[in-house]
Amino acid sequence: MPGISPLVSLATSMHAQPGVYSLLLGSGVSTGAGLPTGWGVVKQLVARVAALADGDTAVADARADPEAWWAQHGDGDLKYTTLLETLAPTPAARQGLLAGFFEGEDALGDRISPSRAHHAIAQLVARGSVRVILTTNFDRLMEQALEAIGISPQVIARPEAVNGMAPLAHAPVTIIKLHGDYKDLGTRNTPAELATYPAEWVQLLERVFDEYGLVVSGWSADWDTALVEALEASPSRRYPLYWDERSGRGETAKRVLANRMGTTVPSESADDLFESLVENLEGLDKLSAPPLTTALAVARLKKYLPDPVRRIDLHDLVMSAVDEVAAALSDLIEIERIDWAELDALYAERFTLVEKLSALVAEGVWHDTDGTHDQLWLDALSRIIDVAKPSESAMARPTFVARRLPALALFAVVGITAMRRGREDMFIKFATAVQGWGVVRNRQAFTAAHFVHYWRIAEEEWVNGLPRWEGRTFQFPVSQLLSSSIRPWFRDRVPDDTEFTRIFYDWEYRWAILVVITQGYRGLPGGFIAEWSWFADALNAEVRFRDWREHTGDEAWKLFFDVHSLTVEDGLLRVRTELERFRVG
C-alpha cells in the first residue's frame, strides 16, 4: 500500500501548527515570473561577451554551447558567480549589470511580475501559516505579491539590520534576503561572498533553523556554502524539513536531507507546490471548521459575491446550506398519527430548517442586481423542491406535505426580495423555470409556482387548529402561517409590520397572476384577497400593481402576458375573475 504523500503530511502539520514553518526560496521560485535562473543569466552574459568579442557568429555559438565557447575564449571555469566577478569586479558594477534581469519585461514582452508561487506564498502568509521567509533571491517579487494583498513585510536585506528588527513572532512576516537586494551594494554573488556569512546572519539562521520547520523550494544548495553550513550545523530537529524534489536532486541537497532527516516533496514546479499546499490547507479548513452560523455564512456570501475569483466558493457556500436542508428532509421518518401541538412544532421546525439558506439566498438576490448568479439561486430552489417530492403512500399526511414548507419559504423569500429590488423578471423565471414532480405514479411535473401552491401545503383545518393562534381562525390560514413564519427574516430590511404585510400581499398577488395565467389552479387563496371588499372594483394589490407598472415602465410582466397571447389588461381581468371565488363580503 502506498504511503501518505509528503505534501499531505506537510499540509496537515502546517494546518495543525500555523506559523511554525519557515520557507527557504531559491531562484527556481522566480522562474515562473519570467526571471532567468543563475544559468540563464550566465548564458545571456556569455552571449553579450561573445557579441563584443567576435560578432553575430560568435553569439550563435555561445548560445548553442556557452561552456564550450567560454572554455575557448574565456578565463577560468564558467560559473554564475565567477562570471559575475570577472565582468563586474565591484559590487556597484554587479548591481548595474544585474538590474536588467530583474526589471522591465520578460522574454515575451510582458512586465515582470510575481509568479503563481509568489502569490500562493502570499496566501500562506495571509492565513498565518508562514511568518518567516528566507531567500537567496535578490529580486523584489515576494514583496510585491505580499503588498498586493495588503501585507507589508519586514524585509531584512543587510546583516547589520538584524539587531534593529522586530522579533520574528511579532511581525506579520519577515523576509530575510540572505544575498541582499539587487539594488543594494551589499548583494552577494561571488564564491568569496557566499563562502562565509557575517555573525549576524549566522545567529539569525541558528534561531530560525532551531525554532521553525523548513520548506525549501527552488534552491539547489550547490553554491551557497555558508547557508549549507548553517543548515547542517543546526542541532534542532523539533520540526521537519521538506524540500521540493526538483531542486533537491543534487549531491549537496541529498547530504543535507540525510543529515536533517528531511523529506522530498514531489512537484512539477514551485508554482504547483505552493498552489497545491494552499489548496490542501483550504480543504482542511472546511473539514475542521465548525458549522457556520447564519450571520457568519451571510458575511462570507457578501465577501464572495462581488469577486469573480470566488465564484466557486460562493457556489459551495450556498449549496452546502442547501445540502443541510436536503439531508434533514431526506432523513425524516413519517409519523402515522400526530396531535395539534406536535404539528405546530413540526411546522416551526420546518421553517427553522431553511432559515440559514433563506438568509443566504435573500442576501444574494438583493445584491446580485445584474443577475450574474441567477442560476445559483435557481439551483438552490430546484434541489429543495426535489427532496420534497411526494410519495404515493403519504399524500394526505400532515407530516409528509410539511416537507414542502422549506421550498415554500425559499420561494417566498426569493420572490419578495426580487420584487423589492426591481427584479420582476427574476421572480417570474424563478417561479416558472423550476419544476417539481407531483404524484409519483403519473410523474406529472409542476412549475415552482404550482408545486408550493397553498393547497399543496396543508389543509386549512390543519393550520387553523394550531395552538399558536390561541383559538383564532383565518380565512386564508396557510398564507397566515407563511407570512408570520418568515416575518422575522425581513425584520432588518422592513422594520414596520404594516409595511411588511403590504409587501407580502403585493408578492402574493404576483404569484396569483402566475398561477391563473399558466392554468395550474384557479387562483391563489392568499391573504391579499382579504383587502378586497364587495364595494371595490379591484383588489388593492391589483391597484398597487397597476400603479407600479405605470411608474416603472415595466417590461417583464408585459413580456409574460405576451408569451401567453394576452394583453396586460386582458390578463389582469382574467386574474380578477378567477379570484372572485375567494372574495369576502
Side-chain angles (χ1 to χ4, degrees), residues 218-258:
W219 182 62
S220 67
D222 288 337
W223 314 110
D224 307 301
T225 305
L227 181 53
V228 171
E229 290 178 354
L231 187 54
E232 290 185 317
S234 174
S236 175
R237 301 292 187 273
R238 73 178 74 187
Y239 296 115
L241 165 67
Y242 291 89
W243 201 316
D244 80 83
E245 195 174 56
R246 287 177 64 87
S247 63
R249 296 172 179 172
E251 292 304 316
T252 304
K254 290 179 180 178
R255 187 182 77 235
V256 174
L257 280 164

Side-chain angles (χ1 to χ4, degrees), residues 325-571:
V325 179
L329 289 175
S330 298
D331 290 341
L332 293 177
I333 299 175
E334 298 307 324
I335 303 172
E336 292 292 336
R337 301 179 64 85
I338 189 170
D339 61 29
W340 292 115
E342 291 171 334
L343 183 60
D344 205 356
L346 177 67
Y347 285 158
E349 182 269 336
R350 292 294 188 272
F351 282 107
T352 300
L353 187 63
V354 79
E355 183 174 0
K356 181 198 294 185
L357 176 59
S358 293
L360 284 172
V361 175
E363 198 71 31
V365 172
W366 184 265
H367 292 290
D368 184 27
T369 54
D370 62 357
T372 300
H373 303 286
D374 276 4
Q375 189 59 51
L376 178 57
W377 323 131
L378 288 167
D379 290 344
L381 178 64
S382 180
R383 173 77 172 121
I384 299 304
I385 284 180
D386 184 60
V387 295
K389 58 182 178 291
S391 69
E392 296 178 30
S393 62
M395 280 301 295
R397 293 181 196 159
T399 56
F400 182 84
V401 291
R403 294 168 64 94
R404 298 191 185 207
L405 285 175
L408 172 63
L410 189 61
F411 178 78
V413 166
V414 173
I416 292 171
T417 305
M419 181 187 74
R420 295 191 66 229
R421 291 300 272 173
R423 291 292 315 280
E424 305 276 339
D425 61 318
M426 194 270 183
F427 170 54
I428 294 171
K429 178 169 64 175
F430 199 75
T432 58
V434 178
Q435 289 193 331
W437 294 105
V439 179
V440 174
R441 60 175 172 266
N442 61 23
R443 299 295 290 169
Q444 183 179 3
F446 297 96
T447 64
H450 294 293
F451 185 86
V452 295
H453 190 284
Y454 289 150
W455 285 339
R456 294 182 179 274
I457 296 298
E459 298 288 344
E460 292 183 354
E461 59 268 25
W462 298 349
V463 180
N464 269 330
L466 298 178
R468 71 176 69 186
W469 311 130
E470 298 179 341
R472 183 184 177 189
T473 60
F474 303 91
Q475 183 179 10
F476 307 108
V478 184
S479 172
Q480 177 65 25
L481 175 66
L482 175 62
S483 64
S484 61
S485 296
I486 69 173
R487 172 68 185 110
W489 305 349
F490 288 90
R491 186 71 65 184
D492 289 342
R493 287 210 170 96
V494 190
D496 184 74
D497 289 339
T498 301
E499 176 67 7
F500 175 77
T501 299
R502 182 195 63 76
I503 292 171
F504 183 83
Y505 286 170
D506 287 348
W507 165 74
E508 274 191 328
Y509 176 71
R510 286 161 168 78
W511 182 13
I513 294 175
L514 297 175
V515 167
V516 171
I517 300 304
T518 56
Q519 298 180 349
Y521 273 122
R522 292 177 55 198
L524 181 79
F528 69 100
I529 298 174
E531 294 184 315
W532 190 5
S533 73
W534 287 108
F535 306 102
D537 292 330
L539 297 95
N540 289 349
E542 179 189 334
V543 173
R544 291 193 293 268
F545 180 76
R546 290 177 181 275
D547 289 344
W548 169 81
R549 291 198 68 252
E550 182 179 347
H551 286 90
T552 62
D554 160 64
E555 290 294 330
W557 286 100
K558 180 180 183 302
L559 178 60
F560 170 78
F561 284 115
D562 286 345
V563 169
H564 291 84
S565 302
L566 290 168
T567 66
V568 175
E569 185 61 29
D570 288 343

